[in-house]
C-alpha cells in the first residue's frame, strides 16, 4: 500500500518541481541575454547542451525515433516550437502575461484530446472553453483599437507556445509505447533542429560573447532544461492529461512570485481579470 502511494505521488512531485522551475528559469535566461546571447542562439545552446548531456541515457533510445515516428516526429515538432516560442516570449514580454497566455494550454489540451485521443468533451467542457476565451479576450484587449488582439510579438509567441505545448502533451500521452528517454530525445532534437533552421533562414549572426556567458548557457541547459524536461515528461506520461494539466498550473504561482521579487513589471486590472478567468477555466477543464 505504501509503495503504491509513493508511485502515485512521484509523478505529482515531478510535475510540481518541473513547473516550479519553469516559473523561474526566465531570470537566468534574461541575465544571459543581457550579456549578449540573443534569444534564438540562447535557445539553441540551452537545448543542444541538454541534448548532449542526455546522450548516455537517450542515445540507446534513438532507434525508437524511427520505430515510433508517428508519435515522436509530431512530438519533436510540437515540443521544439513550444520551447523556442516560450523562450523568445519570456525574454521580451511581461512574465505573467506570457505565462497566462501560455496557460491557455489546458484548454487546448481538452480540444486536442478530443480530436486526437478521442476523449469525450461534455457540455461543461464547452462552457469552460467559453470562460477561458473570455479571459483571453480581456487579457488581449487593446484599449486603443478597441479590439481583442495580441499586442506584442511576445503575445503571439506565448499563444503559439501554449498550443504547441498542449499538442506535445497529447503526443506524450498517446505514445505510451515509447520510453521517456525517447520522448525527451525527440523534444531536444526538435528544438535544436528548428532553432538552427531559423538561424539559417533568417541569417541570424552568431553572438560575440565571452566564453563564460556561453558556459553559463551550457550549465543552464544541463542543470535546468534537461532536468525540467525529464520531470515534466515523466509526470505527463504517468497520469491522465487532464490531471497533469492542472498540476502544471503551479508554474503560474512560481512565475508570479519571481516576477514580483525580481522585476518592476506590472499587470493591469484587465490583465489580472483575464488571467483569473484563464486560471479558473484551466483548473476546471483539468478536473473534468
Amino acid at each position: 500500500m505504501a509503495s503504491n502511494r509513493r508511485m502515485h505521488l512521484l509523478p505529482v512531485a515531478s510535475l510540481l518541481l518541473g513547473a516550479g522551475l519553469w516559473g523561474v528559469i526566465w531570470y537566468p535566461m534574461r541575465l544571459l541575454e543581457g550579456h549578449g546571447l540573443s534569444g534564438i542562439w540562447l535557445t539553441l545552446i540551452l537545448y543542444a547542451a541538454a541534448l548532449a548531456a542526455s546522450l548516455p541515457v537517450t542515445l540507446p533510445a534513438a532507434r525508437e525515433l524511427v520505430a515510433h515516428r508517428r508519435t515522436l516526429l509530431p512530438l519533436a515538432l510540437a515540443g521544439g516550437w513550444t520551447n523556442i516560442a516560450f523562450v523568445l516570449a519570456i525574454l521580451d514580454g511581461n512574465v505573467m502575461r506570457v505565462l497566462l497566455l501560455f496557460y491557455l494550454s489546458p484548454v487546448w489540451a481538452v480540444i486536442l484530446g478530443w480530436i486526437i485521443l478521442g476523449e469525450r468533451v461534455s457540455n461543461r467542457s464547452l462552457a469552460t472553453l467559453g470562460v477561458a476565451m473570455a479571459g483571453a479576450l480581456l487579457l488581449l484587449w487593446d484599449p486603443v483599437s478597441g479590439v481583442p488582439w495580441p499586442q506584442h510579438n511576445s503575445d503571439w509567441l506565448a499563444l503559439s507556445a501554449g498550443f504547441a505545448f498542449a499538442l506535445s502533451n497529447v503526443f506524450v500521452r498517446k505514445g505510451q509505447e515509447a520510453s521517456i528517454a525517447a520522448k525527451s530525445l525527440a523534444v531536444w532534437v526538435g528544438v535544436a533542429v528548428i532553432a538552427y533552421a531559423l538561424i539559417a533562414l533568417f541569417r541570424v549572426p552568431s553572438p560575440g560573447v565571452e566564453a563564460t556567458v556561453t558556459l553559463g548557457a551550457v550549465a543552464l541547459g544541463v542543470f535546468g532544461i534537461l532536468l525540467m524536461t525529464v520531470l515534466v515528461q515523466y509526470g505527463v506520461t504517468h497520469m491522465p492529461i487532464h490531471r497533469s494539466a492542472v498540476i502544471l498550473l503551479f508554474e503560474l504561482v512560481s512565475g508570479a512570485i519571481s516576477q514580483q521579487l525580481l522585476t518592476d513589471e506590472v499587470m493591469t486590472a484587465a490583465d489580472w481579470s483575464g488571467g483569473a478567468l484563464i486560471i479558473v477555466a484551466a483548473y476546471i477543464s483539468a478536473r473534468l
Side-chain angles (χ1 to χ4, degrees):
M1 181 68 69
S3 176
N4 289 338
R5 182 175 177 81
R6 284 195 296 270
M7 290 301 294
H8 174 73
L9 291 177
L10 189 56
V12 175
S14 295
L15 284 175
L16 284 173
L17 180 57
L21 291 173
W22 271 113
V24 300
I25 198 171
W26 61 268
Y27 184 67
M29 286 180 180
R30 286 189 177 182
L31 292 179
L32 290 167
E33 185 190 38
H35 284 85
L37 198 53
S38 65
I40 194 65
W41 276 103
L42 173 59
T43 308
L44 177 60
I45 294 172
L46 288 173
Y47 284 88
L51 173 61
S54 76
L55 287 179
V57 175
T58 59
L59 189 58
R63 63 176 66 92
E64 295 184 49
L65 298 182
V66 176
H68 305 304
R69 58 187 177 276
R70 289 186 178 180
T71 53
L72 294 184
L73 177 57
L75 174 61
L77 295 174
W81 180 250
T82 295
N83 290 283
I84 291 171
F86 180 83
V87 171
L88 296 177
I90 208 72
L91 287 175
D92 295 331
N94 179 289
V95 172
M96 277 306 299
R97 185 179 176 89
V98 167
L99 290 178
L100 287 168
L101 290 173
F102 177 82
Y103 266 94
L104 283 167
S105 58
V107 178
W108 307 139
V110 171
I111 298 173
L112 292 169
W114 169 59
I115 295 173
I116 298 174
L117 301 179
E119 296 179 348
R120 186 177 66 88
V121 179
S122 64
N123 290 334
R124 187 178 176 187
S125 297
L126 293 175
T128 302
L129 178 61
V131 173
M133 292 300 100
L137 291 177
L138 276 174
L139 195 62
L140 295 173
W141 186 263
D142 185 352
V144 176
S145 64
V147 176
W149 196 254
Q151 299 171 31
H152 313 284
N153 286 338
S154 58
D155 288 351
W156 286 108
L157 289 166
L159 285 168
S160 67
F163 182 84
F165 181 65
L167 184 60
S168 66
N169 280 346
V170 168
F171 282 106
V172 166
R173 185 68 179 164
K174 185 178 181 181
Q176 292 289 358
E177 70 282 359
S179 66
I180 294 175
K183 293 172 185 176
S184 299
L185 180 63
V187 170
W188 292 326
V189 169
V191 176
V193 170
I194 295 174
Y196 184 79
L198 291 173
I199 288 171
L201 179 64
F202 294 102
R203 299 180 180 179
V204 182
S206 58
V209 297
E210 298 180 359
T212 53
V213 176
T214 303
L215 289 174
V218 170
L220 186 60
V222 174
F223 298 107
I225 299 298
L226 189 153
L227 176 62
M228 294 186 303
T229 302
V230 171
L231 289 170
V232 172
Q233 292 276 11
Y234 177 85
V236 170
T237 299
H238 287 85
M239 67 173 59
I241 191 169
H242 64 277
R243 290 196 61 209
S244 62
V246 72
I247 294 173
L248 287 168
L249 288 172
F250 182 67
E251 180 179 350
L252 294 173
V253 178
S254 177
I257 294 173
S258 60
Q259 181 192 45
Q260 292 299 311
L261 293 176
L262 299 172
T263 76
D264 56 359
E265 296 174 357
V266 296
M267 295 276 287
T268 66
D271 290 338
W272 283 118
S273 298
L277 289 175
I278 290 172
I279 294 171
V280 169
Y283 176 81
I284 295 174
S285 68
R287 300 297 298 176
L288 294 176

